[in-house]
Amino acid sequence: MTAMTLARIRELRQQKGLTLHQLAGLTRLSVGMISQVERGITDPSLETLRRISDAFGVPLFDLFREDEPDPVTVVRKDERRRVSSPRGQIVYSQVSRLGGKLEVLEAAIEPGAVSSGERRSHASEECVLVLSGRLRVEAGKDVYDLDAGDSCHFDSMIPHRFVNPHEEVARYVVAVTPPSA
């Protein structure tokens, strides 16, 4: 993580008027973990970043925002912000600019991996497009198996997650509006 990201986490905590202890309670992380993240001593996992962004009520990639976006932004492939799970089984790279009203992510999910341990919901609308491989979308009580070129559009208030029960990596793009907190 960059020093700017660490400063952003500390800045958001202070803006919310939260102590390290209070943020730890909201995130179910230890005070030591929060302190280590803010000081750059540890590289937080995707789950840790999700817990922090949820506690602040901001989209995950908002933790990486450094300043207000320009009216037109070009995001070069090799300059995208990336977040991965602890074992690298899922990698998200932000295609859209930070701070916009639409979040577009490109993702790769390894065989046998899931986007989160349990289905999650958030106040957004979401559309996923499979680029290669096959992807399972679990939404509510239903399961949708998608092949390359297939898409699935849903209300993100329905608890959901992405699963790859197949033997090849699945690559997909997901668009979320407004960006999920």
Side-chain angles (χ1 to χ4, degrees), residues 17-28:
L18 297 172
T19 66
L20 286 173
H21 283 48
Q22 290 169 323
L23 182 56
L26 291 171
T27 59
R28 298 181 322 274

Side-chain angles (χ1 to χ4, degrees), residues 111-159:
V114 296
S115 61
S116 64
E118 52 191 53
R119 296 175 190 192
R120 299 172 37 97
S121 63
H122 47 92
S124 297
E125 189 172 332
E126 208 159 321
C127 184
V128 59
L129 169 66
V130 179
L131 301 175
S132 65
R134 295 179 292 164
L135 182 69
R136 176 169 291 159
V137 177
E138 296 179 351
K141 296 178 183 174
D142 297 315
V143 172
Y144 305 92
D145 287 311
L146 306 178
D147 293 322
D150 293 343
S151 64
C152 182
H153 189 155
F154 55 92
D155 181 337
S156 303
M157 286 301 293
I158 299 169

Side-chain angles (χ1 to χ4, degrees), residues 64-83:
F64 299 90
R65 192 179 61 171
E66 297 172 7
D67 51 26
E68 293 303 313
D70 293 327
V72 176
T73 305
V74 173
V75 180
R76 303 285 178 203
K77 183 177 180 177
D78 59 341
E79 296 173 355
R80 291 183 192 165
R81 301 200 185 268
R82 290 177 171 67
V83 176

Side-chain angles (χ1 to χ4, degrees), residues 2 5 9 14 21 23 27 30-31 34 40 48-49 58 68 74-75 84 88 93 96 99 104 109 125 138 144 149:
T2 68
T5 302
I9 291 171
Q14 292 170 343
H21 283 48
L23 182 56
T27 59
S30 70
V31 173
I34 300 291
T48 296
L49 291 173
V58 300
E68 293 303 313
V74 173
V75 180
S84 63
S93 112
S96 57
V104 181
I109 185 169
E125 189 172 332
E138 296 179 351
Y144 305 92

Side-chain angles (χ1 to χ4, degrees), residues 88-106:
Q89 293 182 313
I90 185 164
V91 177
Y92 287 103
S93 112
Q94 189 167 18
V95 175
S96 57
R97 71 177 181 201
L98 292 171
K101 295 176 185 171
L102 172 69
E103 181 175 59
V104 181
L105 307 170
E106 183 176 355

